[in-house]
Each structure stands twice: as structure tokens, then as C-alpha cells.
Amino acid sequence: MLGPTVLGAIVAALVASMLLLQSGDEGSGAAPSMADKEALPKLREDFKMQNKSVFILGASGETGKVLLKEILGQNLFSKVTLIGRRKLTFEEEAYKNVNQEVVDFEKLDDYASAFQGHDVGFCCLGTTRSKAGAEGFVRVDRDYVLKSAELAKAGGCKHFNLLSSRGADKSSSFLYLQVKGEVEAKVEELKFDRLSVFRPGVLLCDRQESRPGEWLARKFFGSLPDSWASGYAVPVVTVVRAMLNNLVSPSSGQMELLENKAILHLGKERDVPKL
Ligand SMILES: NC(=O)c1ccc[n+]([C@@H]2O[C@H](COP(=O)([O-])OP(=O)(O)OC[C@H]3O[C@@H](n4cnc5c(N)ncnc54)[C@H](OP(=O)(O)O)[C@@H]3O)[C@@H](O)[C@H]2O)c1
Ligand SMILES: *[C@@H]1O[C@H](CO)[C@@H](O)[C@H](O)[C@H]1NC(C)=O
């Protein structure tokens, strides 16, 4: 039988996800440049020729690890650096040139050099209230993210990619959505040459650790026809491909906001190079 804690968590998560669904704000912000899918292989080749360097925050997470894999598979950058709180180990040959900077996120200013010299940055950092408490959540999802973005900007990063969430809204009364909206706005103030903000709905993936609410939501959305789920959920790999297809495409403005539907559209591409 399910214990009361687990049941409580499920109920809380379901209520939260229902609210998340209602607060989705489709279509706000600049529309991304939807590069002609046929143009992508050429765009990708042109991008590779520029020998750019990239850093990834959160490369051990569900989204970050798929992002790293896909970046290596597509061979998009001449230098790949992971910035994280611990060193990761990889078996595969494809990972052998990946650089790693281990930092203390509580003293990020001491690690400014880790953020220097990257053309592009991806931030897939995040925790949850249930893992870290309300304070810990704000510390990671707002303070760590913002400080990292500041250091990246100071270090010469031109294009910052921020993984946010559907419904992000700095005036929301929900801590999660409020923090996501606040950090988006603050990163925007840093005035990167290009800022791409991704707002996926429920991420569909096979998470190892148990998050009962997320699991239920995933079962639910996973069982819906694509057209229904399109506003609310998206497979992690689609988010990652949308990020990378957007990366190699010309920017559609200094700030690009990709809602769940735009992510599905841009990330659903069959002819990506085999991993
Ligand atoms: N899950 C969803 O349905 C959903 C939907 C919309 C948006 N999002 C957002 O998408 C982002 C990524 O989600 P995800 O599910 O891919 O994340 P995840 O699997 O939980 O991974 C989180 C990453 O952040 C790092 N991290 C967490 N706490 C940290 C701390 N205290 N100090 C340093 N690093 C820390 C983790 O590193 P360690 O491995 O070292 O812990 C990991 O690399 C999050 O911001 C999330 O809010 C999620
Ligand atoms: C990128 O690297 C390749 C191979 O090292 C080199 O031929 C090319 O000129 C470089 N391109 C730029 C823009 O630096």
C-alpha cells in the first residue's frame, strides 16, 4: 500500500500540475525563427565551421545529459565544458575530450575563470522544493542560475540558453512559476547578444529517482494523442533538439521565447545525425 507521505506527494504534485496547465501562456514573446527543416543540415555544417566553445550547467540532469549526448553526437562545438558541483565519469569514447570544471555554487565568484571563454552556454540546472525545500529551490533555480549567467556574460558568452518552464511568470503566486519568471527577467537584463528561453511543459523521460507526481503526469500525458498533449508535455530529446536546431539557426531577435508548442515544432526533426 502507498504510505500517507507518498499519497500526499502525489496529490500535491497533481494539484500543482493542474495549476501549471491552467497558467500556460501560449504565444507570448517573440516567435522563434523556424528554420526550414531542409536548411538544417547546411546550417549545422556552417555552425561547426566556426569552431565555437560551449559550457553546460546541469549536464548530470535528465535534460542536461541528453543535451550533452546530442551535442557530442552532432559534433557541433570544438570545445565542450561541463560546469557542475561534482565530476562526472563517462565510459564512452565520444566523451573523452569533454572538459569539466568543478565549482562551489555557494562561492561562484571564486570560480569566475570556469565561465571564461565560452561562446555559448546552456543552463539546465534545477532542483525541486521536495528535494531542497523552498529556500534551497530558490537558491538553485534563481541564485545559482543568475550568478552563472552573470559570470558567463562577463566571460564573453554571446548566446545563453536557459531552460525554464511552461507558465513561468514573475508575478505568479506559485513559488515555482514565480522563480522561473523572475530568473528569466533577470537574465534578460544581462543583455546577452542572444538569449533563448525554453518553456517546456512536463518533461517526458525515464527518470531513475522516483517522483510519483511526475510519473503520474508522464503516464497521463504520454497516453494522450499528440495533438492534445502538445501544449502540456514534451519528450526531453525533443527539447534538446529544439535547443540545438535553434542554436544553428539565425536568431530571431536578442530574446527568443520558445513555448511548449514551438519546442515540439522545432525539435521534431527526423533527419538528425545518428548518435
Ligand atoms: N521535470 C519537468 O517536468 C520540468 C518541466 C519544465 C521545466 N523543468 C525545468 O527544467 C530544468 C531541468 O530539469 P531536469 O528534470 O532535467 O533536472 P534534473 O534531472 O533534476 O537535473 C538537475 C541538474 O541540476 C543540478 N543541481 C541540482 N541541485 C543542485 C545544487 N544544489 N547545486 C548544484 N547543482 C545542482 C543537478 O546536479 P547533480 O546531478 O549534481 O545533482 C543536475 O545536473 C529544471 O530547471 C526544471 O525546473 C522541468
Ligand atoms: C576551424 O578549425 C578547422 C580545423 O582545425 C580549420 O580548418 C578552420 O579554419 C577553423 N575555422 C575557424 C573559423 O577558425
Side-chain angles (χ1 to χ4, degrees):
M1 282 309 288
L2 293 175
T5 347
V6 176
L7 268 179
I10 294 176
V11 171
L14 269 185
V15 169
S17 58
M18 296 319 277
L19 288 159
L20 203 73
L21 302 189
Q22 278 168 14
S23 61
D25 181 17
E26 229 54 66
S28 66
S33 65
M34 297 291 176
D36 189 345
K37 297 272 158 98
E38 264 130 61
L40 278 168
K42 167 87 169 66
L43 288 169
R44 221 174 263 136
E45 286 314 309
D46 292 348
F47 186 89
K48 290 184 203 175
M49 295 295 289
Q50 301 172 56
N51 303 337
K52 294 198 185 200
S53 63
V54 67
F55 72 87
I56 304 172
L57 290 154
S60 55
E62 291 298 335
T63 314
K65 71 182 177 202
V66 178
L67 176 67
L68 172 61
K69 187 176 178 198
E70 195 90 4
I71 279 178
L72 296 174
Q74 295 189 23
N75 199 15
L76 289 171
F77 292 94
S78 55
K79 188 176 173 213
V80 178
T81 304
L82 314 182
I83 304 177
R85 60 170 161 180
R86 62 199 173 90
K87 187 155 191 274
L88 309 177
T89 49
F90 302 104
E91 315 275 277
E92 299 92 328
E93 184 70 7
Y95 292 76
K96 71 175 191 303
N97 291 324
V98 172
N99 303 290
Q100 296 199 49
E101 297 278 358
V102 176
V103 302
D104 178 351
F105 282 91
E106 287 295 324
K107 299 180 193 150
L108 264 189
D109 280 318
D110 296 353
Y111 297 87
S113 65
F115 292 86
Q116 253 149 34
H118 311 285
D119 302 298
V120 178
F122 286 92
C123 179
C124 304
L125 270 189
T127 188
T128 59
R129 254 178 106 142
S130 58
K131 253 203 221 169
E135 237 173 81
F137 164 71
V138 175
R139 196 89 189 109
V140 174
D141 285 60
R142 187 189 63 200
D143 301 343
Y144 291 1
V145 171
L146 184 57
K147 191 75 214 172
S148 299
E150 283 171 13
L151 293 172
K153 167 79 187 178
C157 176
K158 303 284 181 237
H159 182 190
F160 194 77
N161 294 269
L162 177 63
L163 182 54
S164 180
S165 170
R166 179 172 203 279
D169 175 3
K170 62 177 190 281
S171 50
S172 173
S173 48
F174 280 92
L175 181 71
Y176 179 79
L177 299 177
Q178 185 270 316
V179 163
K180 295 290 178 192
E182 187 185 349
V183 78
E184 281 184 5
K186 288 195 164 142
V187 171
E188 195 180 354
E189 283 169 18
L190 297 175
K191 300 274 178 253
F192 282 95
D193 288 4
R194 185 178 182 186
L195 170 64
S196 308
V197 174
F198 299 85
R199 287 183 175 172
V202 175
L203 297 175
L204 307 173
C205 61
D206 300 306
R207 196 182 294 278
Q208 297 286 308
E209 78 188 87
S210 106
R211 289 186 189 172
E214 232 179 76
W215 179 85
L216 259 185
R218 206 172 299 135
K219 285 281 168 221
F220 177 65
F221 288 111
S223 69
L224 293 180
D226 277 4
S227 56
W228 290 9
S230 70
Y232 309 117
V234 58
V236 165
V237 68
T238 304
V239 176
V240 163
R241 288 185 179 159
M243 286 174 149
L244 298 180
N245 288 344
N246 182 65
L247 168 80
V248 301
S249 302
S251 74
S252 64
Q254 186 262 329
M255 154 89 168
E256 298 164 309
L257 197 51
L258 287 96
E259 296 285 355
N260 199 69
K261 273 197 176 124
I263 292 170
L264 277 168
H265 181 80
L266 193 57
K268 257 192 193 161
E269 190 217 345
R270 297 285 161 237
D271 100 86
V272 278
K274 276 270 166 289
L275 296 181

